[in-house]
Amino acid sequence: MTTELTPLYPQLPEKALIVLIGASGAGKTTLARTWPAFQVLSLDSLRGWVSDDEGCQDATADAVDVLHLLVDRRMARRRNTVVDATNVSSDARAPLVAAAKRHGMPAIAVVLGTPEVVCLARQVPRPANRTVPDDTVRAQHKARIHSHQSLHGEGFNEVHFAENLYRLEPFLRRLSEARDADLGLDGGDGLGDLLLVRRVFGPEILPLWQWKHRSAVAGGDRVAEIRLGQLYLTLALRRNVDGEGDYGFDVLVPCPFDPECSGDAWVPAYTVSCLHRALTGQLDNHEDIVCTVHGGFDDVDQEADDHASNLDDDPEGRADIDAQAMTALHG
């Protein structure tokens, strides 16, 4: 007989108003960053939007007005929304809960029970305009403790402590999905396809970059082209370059072993400087170049060693070669 296991960590609704409650320095912003940026409404950021200074306390009232407007509009659209503000007083929480109820959205309180001494210590390295006085932090911490018992009565559907939340898995999943988009592995054709390109070669290269979706020149790997006028470079996106999960680019260059070789020769390209060197021929004899016909320099050297070894085993053959060389020299 099996019994269904009760989850050790509460799962938050996918669409809700999530109000973070804690003193300054409790870790609200760190927790908020585990949600997508568009879902987070930070009072500090809104101060910056209205005053050009996130630490401008004189702009708090204006920032709160903007916060309430954005919460209402997001609730109307039924968008998951995280409020990153101190929220230790019922007066600060009431308009937020009212907006959720007005649009039929659940309101979730997430309490950060960070010890007072930790909240105070976190003020020390902050810039002067972002440092909250110790007396204020102590008052916020006390208000947070006293408010816990009243949160359900204020209209919150659920109340959770932050340390009990199941946030690591969705956070890592989101980062993993973003990385797949960076690498163009999500099947999309938008900017996500170019984020790895931006990271390796810089944003200036993006307007010239074009994926060649039907190209087979790289043996099944994705192929792109950088073109400006008559000049262009062909690149391939390689997987598992130095190990499982590693990615990188190769650039197409001439075969260094035979000028009439019809194979493709590839050399790693790590930066935009590599692209310049490839275009100007400075990578044509790079030690890591690999031709699809001749292989790399190690392969060619091994073929030469094998050929010399065969001649050592066949003295008459070497004599014939020496005789042909002498004839060629003397006409």
Side-chain angles (χ1 to χ4, degrees):
M1 178 179 178
T2 60
T3 58
E4 184 176 349
L5 296 175
T6 302
L8 295 176
Y9 306 100
Q11 294 274 23
L12 299 179
E14 292 185 1
K15 295 182 179 180
L17 173 68
I18 300 170
V19 179
L20 306 185
I21 301 172
S24 175
K28 298 182 297 298
T29 299
T30 298
L31 177 61
R33 286 172 180 157
T34 66
W35 279 275
F38 280 133
Q39 297 183 12
V40 178
L41 300 179
S42 163
L43 189 60
D44 286 343
S45 295
L46 293 174
R47 285 194 193 97
W49 280 111
V50 300
S51 72
D52 293 336
D53 181 359
E54 292 186 350
C56 180
Q57 299 305 310
D58 291 342
T60 298
D62 290 338
V64 169
D65 288 344
V66 176
L67 172 66
H68 292 165
L69 174 63
L70 291 173
V71 167
D72 184 77
R73 293 299 84 205
R74 288 186 63 83
M75 293 298 97
R77 291 177 174 273
R78 306 189 65 79
R79 298 289 91 189
N80 191 65
T81 302
V82 180
V83 178
D84 174 14
T86 305
N87 296 317
V88 293
S89 72
S90 58
D91 289 343
R93 298 187 292 263
L96 307 176
V97 175
K101 300 302 181 185
R102 189 160 53 247
H103 298 289
M105 291 282 281
I108 312 296
V110 174
V111 180
L112 286 88
T114 309
E116 178 184 284
V117 64
V118 176
C119 295
L120 291 170
R122 288 174 176 170
Q123 304 302 317
V124 176
R126 293 181 173 181
N129 67 343
R130 297 290 301 279
T131 301
V132 178
D134 289 357
D135 289 347
T136 302
V137 174
R138 292 189 180 97
Q140 292 174 348
H141 191 267
K142 184 177 180 180
R144 192 274 301 166
I145 294 175
H146 290 167
S147 70
H148 183 256
Q149 299 300 322
S150 66
L151 293 174
H152 280 293
E154 293 177 17
F156 284 100
N157 300 81
E158 300 176 20
V159 178
H160 300 294
F161 277 97
E163 57 264 32
N164 294 331
L165 291 183
Y166 187 69
R167 291 301 307 157
L168 183 59
E169 187 278 331
F171 177 56
L172 294 179
R173 173 171 17 100
R174 179 165 63 85
L175 294 182
S176 176
E177 291 171 351
R179 185 169 186 268
D180 285 347
D182 286 358
L183 300 174
L185 303 178
D186 62 345
D189 292 322
L191 182 60
D193 265 356
L194 297 175
L195 291 180
L196 180 64
V197 180
R198 178 199 297 266
R199 184 182 304 165
V200 176
F201 301 120
E204 295 83 3
I205 211 70
L206 300 185
L208 308 183
W209 189 277
Q210 183 177 2
W211 290 108
K212 312 297 286 186
H213 294 290
R214 289 179 293 275
S215 176
V217 70
D221 287 340
R222 297 193 74 188
V223 175
E225 185 178 275
I226 300 173
R227 179 183 290 273
L228 186 59
Q230 296 298 315
L231 298 178
Y232 67 94
L233 290 171
T234 299
L235 296 99
L237 174 62
R238 305 300 193 185
R239 306 184 184 191
N240 302 326
V241 175
D242 295 317
E244 185 67 28
D246 290 333
Y247 297 83
F249 288 98
D250 284 350
V251 60
L252 191 65
V253 297
C255 173
F257 311 112
D258 182 354
E260 297 183 359
C261 177
S262 60
D264 300 311
W266 298 95
V267 65
Y270 303 108
T271 67
V272 70
S273 297
C274 295
L275 300 183
H276 178 256
R277 294 175 64 199
L279 189 64
T280 56
Q282 299 177 61
L283 293 184
D284 289 359
N285 292 292
H286 192 280
E287 60 181 5
D288 292 326
I289 196 169
V290 176
C291 175
T292 55
V293 174
H294 299 91
F297 280 103
D298 290 342
D299 300 312
V300 174
D301 291 343
Q302 184 61 46
E303 289 179 5
D305 291 342
D306 291 342
H307 183 62
S309 176
N310 291 335
L311 291 178
D312 290 338
D313 294 337
D314 182 10
E316 294 183 0
R318 176 177 293 277
D320 290 341
I321 295 296
D322 291 341
Q324 294 173 10
M326 291 297 291
T327 300
L329 287 173
H330 296 288

